[in-house]
């Protein structure tokens, strides 16, 4: 469970970075500059893929956490990681379903 929370944390960081990169690219395109934010396309695409997968990893992590909590299994998790992942789930839900799909 500890490793899974760290994987979810890394995916959530990639989500934040990919959202920032999207905003930067949109503002650059509005100014007429079509260059990528990161000149290495492999790194940029990896960050974007992990950012997109973050919502799914986060949901699975939180469901697993709830099942383990209800089963009264001992959990050795950092409260910061748990709160960070819990905080980002509504943000990710809004970002993906409102910001990207509805537009």
């Amino acid at each position: 469970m500890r490793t899974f929370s760290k994987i979810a944390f890394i995916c959530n960081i990639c989500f934040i970075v990919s959202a920032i990169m999207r905003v930067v690219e949109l503002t650059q395109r509005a100014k007429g500059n079509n260059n990528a934010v990161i000149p290495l396309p492999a790194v940029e695409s990896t960050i974007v893929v992990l950012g997109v997968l973050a919502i799914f990893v986060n949901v699975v992590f939180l469901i697993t956490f709830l099942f383990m909590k209800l089963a009264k299994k001992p959990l050795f998790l950092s409260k910061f990681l748990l709160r960070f992942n819990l905080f980002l789930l509504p943000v990710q839900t809004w970002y993906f379903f409102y910001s990207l799909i509805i537009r």
Side-chain angles (χ1 to χ4, degrees):
M1 191 69 180
R2 261 182 150 175
T3 305
F4 193 34
S5 69
K6 291 176 184 177
I7 291 171
F9 177 75
I10 291 169
C11 288
N12 286 331
I13 294 297
C14 288
F15 163 74
I16 293 169
V17 171
S18 66
I20 291 170
M21 285 189 327
R22 181 173 186 262
V23 169
V24 169
E25 282 188 5
L26 288 176
T27 56
Q28 282 183 352
R29 285 185 188 163
K31 293 178 183 176
N33 185 0
N34 289 331
N35 294 334
V37 175
I38 299 175
L40 299 170
V43 174
E44 185 176 13
S45 59
T46 302
I47 290 172
V48 170
V49 167
L50 285 175
V52 170
L53 290 177
I55 190 169
F56 302 111
V57 172
N58 208 5
V59 166
V60 171
F61 168 71
L62 292 175
I63 288 173
T64 306
F65 171 75
L66 285 176
F67 279 136
M68 291 188 77
K69 191 76 167 170
L70 290 174
K72 301 197 189 256
K73 301 244 179 180
L75 297 170
F76 303 105
L77 291 176
S78 168
K79 289 186 181 186
F80 168 76
L81 289 177
L82 181 64
R83 288 178 184 156
F84 183 77
N85 292 336
L86 218 115
F87 169 74
L88 274 184
L89 185 62
V91 174
Q92 290 168 340
T93 305
W94 175 83
Y95 181 80
F96 284 116
F97 294 111
Y98 178 76
S99 176
L100 293 180
I101 294 176
I102 292 179
R103 277 195 212 176

